[in-house]
Amino acid sequence: MWLKAHKGIIDNPVMTAFEEKLKPFLGEKSEDAGNRVRLLKLLNGLIGGKTEVGECLRATALWLDEPAPEVIFEGRKFCLTGKFSYGKRGQCEGEIRARGGACQSSPGKTTDYLVVGSHAEGTWIQSAYGRKIEKAVALRAGGLPVRIVSEEHWLASMA
């Protein structure tokens, strides 16, 4: 009954991806100490990790590609989501364009990278920020090679 009432949540591509990441923890080896540590890391990734009082909420790392892929700028299309430590959205887009990349306002069939800013709102899944992640995950599930990377990885790729 609950599943029928919450079908929109269950069928959400982000939740489907989360379910796939949970599968290794639901079998016989779920009692293994290493699995418990990996499960805790996975769940902390969902909520953005631990934060200290007065600190901005960190963006969730759960949907990031691991291992992080090589970021190629020339001729690639980028979509940005979240709040960036580097600067305002326009500054970040300027860095992409300066390296030969293009920017999109929303992930689509031609998106190569979704870059997730380091900071999020507590209600990230209800915002456009969460919707962009949701859309990118759905595109990947449909077979498109959208890479989801952190701001930190994106910055390191510019060096």
Side-chain angles (χ1 to χ4, degrees), residues 9-156:
I9 294 170
I10 301 304
D11 290 342
N12 181 300
V14 170
M15 294 310 295
T16 301
F18 182 62
E19 179 183 22
E20 285 300 313
K21 290 185 180 223
L22 276 178
K23 282 184 180 179
F25 304 105
L26 303 177
E28 296 174 10
K29 298 180 182 178
S30 61
E31 295 300 315
D32 176 76
N35 269 348
R36 287 196 304 269
V37 169
R38 286 186 291 279
L39 177 59
L40 180 60
K41 184 177 178 184
L42 178 68
L43 294 172
N44 276 336
L46 178 63
I47 61 170
K50 296 178 183 176
T51 57
E52 300 296 326
V53 176
E55 179 183 18
C56 275
L57 183 62
R58 291 184 210 117
T60 179
L62 188 61
W63 319 116
L64 301 178
D65 287 349
E66 286 201 25
E70 178 183 10
V71 176
I72 300 168
F73 289 89
E74 186 68 36
R76 301 305 198 278
K77 293 184 180 173
F78 291 77
C79 179
L80 306 178
T81 190
K83 296 186 184 222
F84 286 75
S85 294
Y86 182 79
K88 293 185 179 189
R89 181 74 46 97
Q91 291 172 290
C92 296
E93 289 177 349
E95 293 292 347
I96 291 168
R97 288 188 191 99
R99 289 165 176 75
C103 299
Q104 300 174 314
S105 60
S106 179
K109 292 179 181 180
T110 62
T111 304
D112 295 294
Y113 300 95
L114 175 67
V115 183
V116 180
S118 298
H119 305 289
E121 296 176 18
T123 57
W124 70 271
I125 194 62
Q126 286 103 20
S127 68
Y129 169 47
R131 299 297 173 225
K132 287 181 184 179
I133 293 172
E134 187 177 273
K135 188 169 183 181
V137 169
L139 290 167
R140 281 199 312 201
L144 294 173
V146 178
R147 296 160 198 91
I148 304 175
V149 299
S150 68
E151 176 183 2
E152 179 181 33
H153 183 67
W154 171 76
L155 284 171

